[in-house]
């Protein structure tokens, strides 16, 4: 069982992801970034879901600033895993039709596995996002290849319900990672099961995905300048808070990783 409440300014195996590979912050350990007063990733004392601290992730409202995430190491393909975490959308959250990914399980693609960078042309196999005023869960898979398109590929989107600002939203995801029909995705939101899926859950890779939490706003990448210019709804930086991260590999239960576990 892995637990992270961000109570200490420590790396704890997290890998920092800030924008693309050219951003200098991407080479910094979390323990250094988290102590900056206005950093992309920092330790916060309010709001908190568990304990006395949480992780604050921020993406400035500017073209080329699109990611502020922390990532865990990849897991084996075919493995069973349970993930619990809580996300807080502040009252200043601005509703926008562009998707903002707030938690994702991203595939390792060939040589890209060394950098754990997701600038390759693939969607994460599983992602929790906000689009408009709705929570979403998006699935992508390919039973025949390592790309999001082509023979064997597929996708499915679940609408999970309206967001609430100024409140924590608890998630538990149970996954068996497989490019074939024996994969499993089950998702609970605030204690209620909202997804129960059986089928492919990954691309046809040797390695399973790695879990990332924070903010990923693909429409603000430099290559998406036109999309960014049309994004008139968001006028301020994007900020979210993450806390109570629990991860169990192998047989476990909902309660083992639930954010409200005490």
């Amino acid at each position: 069982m892995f637990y992270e409440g961000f109570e200490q300014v420590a790396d704890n195996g997290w890998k920092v992801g800030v924008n693309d590979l050219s951003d200098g912050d991407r080479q910094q350990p979390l323990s250094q970034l988290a102590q900056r007063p206005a950093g992309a990733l920092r330790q916060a004392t309010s709001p908190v879901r568990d304990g006395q601290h949480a992780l604050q992730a921020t993406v400035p409202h500017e073209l080329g600033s699109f990611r502020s995430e922390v990532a865990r190491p990849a897991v084996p393909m075919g493995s069973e895993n349970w993930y619990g975490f809580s996300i807080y959308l502040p009252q200043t959250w601005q509703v926008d039709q562009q998707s903002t990914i707030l938690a994702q399980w991203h595939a390792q693609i060939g040589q890209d596995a060394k950098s754990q960078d997701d600038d390759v042309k693939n969607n994460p196999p599983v992602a929790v996002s906000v689009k408009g005023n709705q929570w979403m869960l998006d699935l992508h898979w390919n039973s025949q290849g390592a790309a999001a398109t082509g023979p064997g590929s597929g996708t499915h989107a679940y609408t999970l319900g309206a967001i609430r600002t100024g409140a924590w939203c608890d998630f538990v995801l149970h996954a068996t990672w497989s490019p074939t029909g024996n994969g499993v995705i089950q998702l609970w939101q605030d204690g209620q099961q909202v997804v129960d899926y059986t089928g492919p859950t990954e691309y046809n890779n040797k390695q399973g995905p790695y879990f990332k939490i924070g903010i990923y706003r693909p429409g603000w990448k430099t290559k998406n300048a036109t999309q960014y210019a049309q994004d008139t709804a968001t006028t301020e930086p994007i900020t979210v808070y993450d806390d109570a991260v629990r991860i169990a590999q192998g047989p476990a239960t909902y309660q083992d990783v639930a954010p409200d576990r005490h």
Side-chain angles (χ1 to χ4, degrees):
M1 174 72 68
F2 170 82
Y3 169 73
E4 178 66 86
F6 304 102
E7 296 304 308
Q8 305 295 324
V9 181
D11 297 313
N12 290 343
W14 292 106
K15 180 180 175 64
V16 168
V18 177
N19 300 323
D20 58 25
L21 293 173
S22 65
D23 195 304
D25 281 350
R26 202 175 176 90
Q27 310 305 321
Q28 300 297 318
L30 178 61
S31 56
Q32 292 187 20
L33 290 182
Q35 298 182 71
R36 294 184 186 176
L41 295 160
R42 71 181 188 88
Q43 187 186 49
T45 56
S46 178
V48 297
R49 180 66 179 89
D50 191 17
Q52 303 299 316
H53 298 89
L55 179 71
Q56 176 181 310
T58 300
V59 169
H61 184 219
E62 57 189 40
L63 183 64
S65 293
F66 59 91
R67 181 192 354 248
S68 179
E69 298 175 300
V70 290
R72 300 301 304 163
V75 299
M77 185 65 78
S79 63
E80 178 186 4
N81 295 266
W82 289 78
Y83 307 83
F85 54 94
S86 194
I87 300 175
Y88 183 97
L89 302 180
Q91 292 181 334
T92 54
W93 180 268
Q94 294 180 292
V95 173
D96 196 314
Q97 289 305 311
Q98 284 199 34
S99 177
T100 304
I101 296 176
L102 301 182
Q104 59 175 306
W105 292 259
H106 207 283
Q108 301 272 34
I109 310 285
Q111 292 301 311
D112 189 64
K114 296 186 297 183
S115 64
Q116 285 197 345
D117 183 68
D118 66 0
D119 288 329
V120 293
K121 297 178 180 179
N122 262 18
N123 295 300
V126 179
V128 173
S129 64
V130 171
K131 185 174 183 180
N133 69 342
Q134 297 290 314
W135 285 106
M136 304 290 297
L137 182 77
D138 293 296
L139 309 183
H140 293 84
W141 65 83
N142 192 329
S143 59
Q144 299 182 33
T149 59
S153 64
T155 183
H156 191 82
Y158 294 89
T159 301
L160 307 179
I163 63 172
R164 290 184 300 134
T165 62
W168 288 96
C169 188
D170 293 342
F171 291 96
V172 168
L173 184 126
H174 173 220
T176 299
W177 301 110
S178 173
T180 64
N182 61 352
V184 172
I185 294 293
Q186 296 176 312
L187 182 72
W188 289 260
Q189 182 180 10
D190 288 332
Q192 300 296 316
Q193 186 169 2
V194 290
V195 173
D196 189 2
Y197 164 87
T198 300
T201 57
E202 244 280 23
Y203 303 114
N204 197 349
N205 298 319
K206 293 182 179 179
Q207 181 70 283
Y210 54 97
F211 172 61
K212 302 200 292 181
I213 195 166
I215 301 169
Y216 179 64
R217 182 67 173 246
W220 288 9
K221 287 184 175 182
T222 303
K223 68 179 183 180
N224 295 334
T226 300
Q227 187 177 359
Y228 175 82
Q230 296 172 345
D231 187 8
T232 58
T234 301
T235 59
E236 301 293 336
I238 301 174
T239 295
V240 300
Y241 299 85
D242 301 310
D243 203 358
V245 178
R246 292 182 173 88
I247 303 173
Q249 185 170 321
T253 67
Y254 170 93
Q255 197 56 42
D256 289 334
V257 299
D260 61 354
R261 168 187 170 185
H262 294 291

